[in-house]
Amino acid sequence: NHVSNLLDTWLQRDDGRRTQQSIAAMAGTPAVFGPGLPAAVQALGHVAQEVRENQTRPPQRREELARCCLNAAGSLIDAGIANTTAPEGYHRWASFLAGCPQVELRDPARAVELAEKAVRLAPKVATFRQTLGLADYRAGNWRQALDALEAANRQQLDGDCATWSLLARAHWQLGLEEEARAWHAKAVERIKQTRRFSSLHRLYATESARLLGLAPPAIPEKGPTEDPDCRPLAEPPEPVSHSHHP
């Protein structure tokens, strides 16, 4: 709520620098920390994007205001991570930094570091290993991503189509195209058959298809269930050009 109020004030007064300073100061207070902080950071990133697209301001001013908003988001990220000690918190921030829709707010290397902490503290939690795999993938660590995702898959007794879609990507980046297609097909088949999947699962399968050069899977636009913990992993379309494909 504090961030939302500051954003409203910023939009009305066109004063990005003061908002940046206010949010930075707020980041030093205990009240700001909590599970909802990544969402507040993402809101700042979204506003930065909207500012850049707003043609009513001169280009230089738009960029200045957007940069103030992103700097404020950085202050909240730093404060949130600095006050994190539990594996769930490390996982939450790793998920955010690996898959935030606002690409400028991503930090794959930092996400790997945080995900590794979460896995060390709670090695039996498969979701933490899945996030480590995503972070390594984002950082371009294909082999490490594959290892983490395979470990997550072994821990997920019933399997998880998001993990399978990420496995498809990791195999593809390593040139293991047959294995990549097999994991992708498995993920799509699970999504079509099960009545328990989230929009994240559909998104991952769709983006894996894009990477593999396949047609988008014919699955529902929205799943009947929604896992809030998955939403920070949502991501924009992934470029098709990668390491071993021109």
Side-chain angles (χ1 to χ4, degrees), residues 63-137:
E63 182 58 31
E64 177 186 345
L65 293 173
R67 182 51 52 188
C68 286
C69 207
L70 292 172
N71 289 341
S75 296
L76 290 180
I77 291 172
D78 290 342
I81 293 174
N83 284 268
T84 295
T85 56
E88 294 80 7
Y90 291 130
H91 169 254
R92 185 180 302 114
W93 282 111
S95 298
F96 179 86
L97 293 174
C100 181
Q102 282 74 40
V103 178
E104 286 182 281
L105 295 178
R106 292 183 186 176
D107 189 341
R110 199 175 189 184
V112 169
E113 177 184 345
L114 294 169
E116 286 177 342
K117 287 183 178 181
V119 169
R120 282 197 300 270
L121 291 171
K124 295 183 179 181
V125 181
T127 305
F128 295 176
R129 291 190 184 275
Q130 182 194 71
T131 297
L132 176 58
L134 173 65
D136 271 318
Y137 182 87

